[in-house]
Amino acid sequence: FELIAYTEREKVNDVLVSRNKELDPSKTNHPFIVGTSSVRRKALIKHYYPHLKTVEMRGNLQTRIRKMDEGVCDALLLAYAGVKRMGYEDLIISELSTSTFVPPVGQGCIAIEAATSLDVDLKDAIRRYVNNTESESALLAERAFLERMEGGCSIPAFGHATINGTKLVLTCGLVSLDGQKIIKKSFIGEIDKAVELGYEAGQTVLESGGKELLMEIKKEQLSV
């Protein structure tokens, strides 16, 4: 299989979802419990909002909302794209800035996967009708970064690429599981060299302490 097209990207932000509109993550004197199963989200919460607590929260969106309503947590931390597509925008109480809460690789974009044996003309037709070139460039850079980091959803890595004029800007990095250490860097490159930019970004993060941090993360995960 291979990815042959990338749809126009939805807003990439993480959002807090709750029935309680008065909850505010910035108010340190009013802590609350956030439900999430993402290692990146949990680590970033510990870094930027250490007064908040997290609990494991798995299942589809409806299941998570039901668990929240049952009192397992006060709010859920989710991707805006999924919340919007499922029609639960009215439950969003806070939209987290991408300058701090950098999203994970690929968030907000739907990729089209096809068998490598699929007819070439059919692949080309799918790309003509579906592929968004800006999304494609961004995702190629982000995925190359994550590949160089040798990571997936099990490590708290983040990566978000945008088009700025004729350049591709990639902000990416890694945060420790306890939120105490964070490596975040931005890179600028040519749009037609997205993969190279992502790979170089991953290499730079690794050489800037990321390799040692990854070893710590994997060691902690194995000990759980």
Side-chain angles (χ1 to χ4, degrees):
F1 291 92
E2 60 180 339
L3 299 183
I4 62 170
Y6 302 85
T7 64
E8 182 177 357
R9 201 170 198 176
E10 182 53 86
K11 188 186 295 184
V12 301
N13 303 65
D14 284 324
V15 293
L16 277 171
V17 166
S18 179
R19 304 284 186 189
N20 186 350
K21 303 297 183 181
E22 296 182 1
L23 295 180
D24 186 342
S26 66
K27 293 182 178 180
T28 58
N29 59 334
H30 288 91
F32 55 89
I33 301 173
V34 178
T36 177
S37 59
S38 162
V39 291
R40 176 193 60 89
R41 288 176 179 142
K42 286 187 285 188
L44 288 177
I45 284 177
K46 290 176 181 177
H47 184 80
Y48 291 110
Y49 304 107
H51 58 288
L52 301 184
K53 295 182 180 180
T54 62
V55 293
E56 283 292 318
M57 187 62 67
R58 298 184 182 278
N60 61 33
L61 183 54
Q62 292 88 343
T63 297
R64 296 185 189 205
I65 292 174
R66 175 179 56 79
K67 289 180 179 179
M68 178 183 71
D69 289 340
E70 291 171 350
V72 176
C73 61
D74 301 301
L76 299 168
L77 186 53
L78 304 162
Y80 171 85
V83 175
K84 179 185 177 183
R85 288 165 181 157
M86 295 298 291
Y88 289 95
E89 288 176 274
D90 59 311
L91 293 181
I92 296 175
I93 62 169
S94 182
E95 186 177 290
L96 304 183
S97 171
T98 58
S99 63
T100 52
F101 248 75
V102 185
V105 166
Q107 183 155 292
C109 185
I110 298 173
I112 309 302
E113 186 178 44
T116 54
S117 58
L118 190 68
D119 181 77
V120 175
D121 291 337
L122 181 54
K123 285 183 187 179
D124 291 342
I126 292 171
R127 282 184 56 81
R128 283 198 307 274
Y129 284 106
V130 176
N131 193 57
N132 180 282
T133 56
E134 288 195 4
S135 294
E136 181 175 36
S137 296
L139 267 290
L140 287 175
E142 292 173 17
R143 287 172 58 81
F145 159 72
L146 193 61
E147 182 178 4
R148 182 64 193 92
M149 297 293 289
E150 298 181 358
C153 60
S154 63
I155 67 167
F158 48 84
H160 178 219
T162 56
I163 305 296
N164 186 359
T166 61
K167 298 292 183 179
L168 186 64
V169 181
L170 172 64
T171 298
C172 55
L174 186 68
V175 57
S176 62
L177 295 177
D178 62 6
Q180 294 300 306
K181 303 175 186 175
I182 186 167
I183 301 170
K184 183 169 69 173
K185 295 183 176 296
S186 293
F187 304 85
I188 300 176
E190 301 299 324
I191 294 175
D192 61 352
K193 294 185 178 180
V195 173
E196 291 89 336
L197 178 66
Y199 185 90
E200 291 171 6
Q203 185 63 36
T204 301
V205 170
L206 288 174
E207 293 173 353
S208 301
K211 184 176 181 180
E212 292 76 15
L213 186 52
L214 268 179
M215 291 176 63
E216 290 178 20
I217 291 168
K218 291 177 180 179
K219 185 177 179 180
E220 286 182 52
Q221 290 175 330
L222 287 173
S223 65
V224 175

